[in-house]
Amino acid sequence: MNRFAMSALALTVLATAVPAHAQQGINDPNATRIGCYRQVQVPAKFSVKKILVKESYRQYIKRANGRIDLMEYPPVYREEKKMIAPPETVMREVTCTD
């Protein structure tokens, strides 16, 4: 994935660094279109680890009307996020439309 992102970045830099007189050849009748691409922002990737804070438990609760309920409370977790890959811009191939 990184190799693809680097090549897309290099392609973008080369495309913007071409002088204006060289861009006049875009409408050259001898040129053929190889593919069409669009820049896409890929969000960052994270690894999420759940850490137990409080275990689940059951508890009897006496209500005002004399009824006794057995309540179960779920466990409580906190999340630890670690960034695996930063956000990046990639070139995705799209269908060419004229």
Side-chain angles (χ1 to χ4, degrees), residues 81-97:
K81 280 187 175 183
K82 182 178 179 184
M83 186 183 296
I84 296 174
E88 57 188 4
T89 302
V90 296
M91 301 293 282
R92 289 231 175 106
E93 192 166 3
V94 295
T95 57
C96 297
T97 57

Side-chain angles (χ1 to χ4, degrees), residues 33-53:
R33 179 182 295 151
I34 297 173
C36 298
Y37 297 88
R38 183 174 304 252
Q39 281 186 331
V40 177
Q41 293 287 345
V42 177
K45 294 179 184 171
F46 292 93
S47 169
V48 180
K49 183 178 178 183
K50 291 183 178 181
I51 299 172
L52 182 66
V53 173

Side-chain angles (χ1 to χ4, degrees), residues 15-32:
T16 58
V18 176
H21 62 83
Q23 289 183 357
Q24 293 172 357
I26 290 176
N27 295 325
D28 185 7
N30 296 325
T32 58

